[in-house]
Every structure is written in C-alpha cells, then in structure tokens.
Amino acid sequence: MTITEQHKTDIEQQVTTAFQGLVAASKTLNSAQYFEFIDQEKFVGLNADGSNWNSASELKALIDPSFSALEKVESLTFTNVKVSVIDENTAILVNEYQQTVILKDGSPFTAEGGGMQVWSKSSGKWLLVGIGASAKR
C-alpha cells in the first residue's frame, strides 16, 4: 500500500508528538507516564551497555531505580531527530541527545548518546516496541 506524502507527514507528526510525551515524562521523572508510551506486550530493546531488554518489565527494572536516584533533570535536549515512516503502523525515530541530571546526593552527571526507537500503532496509538541506545561517553 502506498502512503501519500500528506499521510506520511501526518504519521511523522504523530510519532514526534508521542516522542515528545516520552521526553516530557523523562524530564519530570514520571515513570508511570513514561511507561504509557511503551508497548507492554511487544517491547524489546538494546541498552547502551550492550545488554538486551527482552520485555517491558526488564526496561522498567532499569528505569524505576534510575528515576528514583535522580533529584532532577537539569537539561535534556535532543538533536538530529529524524522519523522514518515504514508503513501506516510502523515508524523508526533516531536521535542524538545530551543530558545533565542532578543525583540525590547533589552531584551532577552528564551523558550524551543516541537512540533508535521503533514505534508501532498496532494497538490504536503510537507505542514503543523497540529501543536501541548508544552512549558517546
């Protein structure tokens, strides 16, 4: 099935909006809101350390303690964000990011890297079914 340019643009905007919701949840350290963007049944991923997440629960086991260890997100910016539409229900988003957080002990921590996200609309709304992460340092 061929997707019109207008429909492709609409999908790109929908996925970008979903991504922005995920980012907002990350900035506010709201794990429950963050996981509203994750497909609980189909999710898999690759962590920046080379280990797999074979389920949403494995990702949650990393995210929950990570969010709890932070006092606040000082800055989180995404550059070079690109959405590639595969079909009406699948899109891939790639990005580069820079983040500075303040740990509970008051010390800052900075990270940079990139990510690849596979978004699917098979459930009626755009959800993440796959993440690949990479760290610059």
Side-chain angles (χ1 to χ4, degrees), residues 18-35:
F19 174 68
Q20 290 168 343
L22 182 76
V23 171
S26 296
K27 286 182 175 180
T28 60
L29 303 172
N30 186 330
S31 176
Q33 184 181 15
Y34 181 93
F35 278 91

Side-chain angles (χ1 to χ4, degrees), residues 90-110:
T90 312
I92 297 172
L93 183 146
V94 293
N95 65 72
E96 296 174 25
Y97 73 90
Q98 295 178 331
Q99 178 179 34
T100 300
V101 297
I102 306 299
L103 303 175
K104 290 280 186 183
D105 69 5
S107 59
F109 178 79
T110 301

Side-chain angles (χ1 to χ4, degrees), residues 55-86:
S55 66
S57 62
E58 288 183 8
L59 176 64
K60 190 169 180 52
L62 173 76
I63 295 294
D64 284 345
S66 296
F67 279 14
S68 294
L70 304 179
E71 185 64 35
K72 71 176 183 172
V73 175
E74 192 73 25
S75 67
L76 177 58
T77 56
F78 290 88
T79 59
N80 202 15
V81 177
K82 169 75 173 142
V83 176
S84 177
V85 176
I86 306 303

Side-chain angles (χ1 to χ4, degrees), residues 15 18-19 22 37-39 42-46 82-87 89-95 115-122 125-133:
V15 170
F19 174 68
L22 182 76
F37 295 95
I38 307 292
D39 188 312
K42 299 177 183 145
F43 178 83
V44 295
L46 177 65
K82 169 75 173 142
V83 176
S84 177
V85 176
I86 306 303
D87 59 34
N89 296 309
T90 312
I92 297 172
L93 183 146
V94 293
N95 65 72
M116 182 182 79
Q117 303 173 340
V118 181
W119 291 84
S120 173
K121 195 177 180 184
S122 62
K125 69 178 190 173
W126 288 102
L127 296 174
L128 276 170
V129 295
I131 293 176

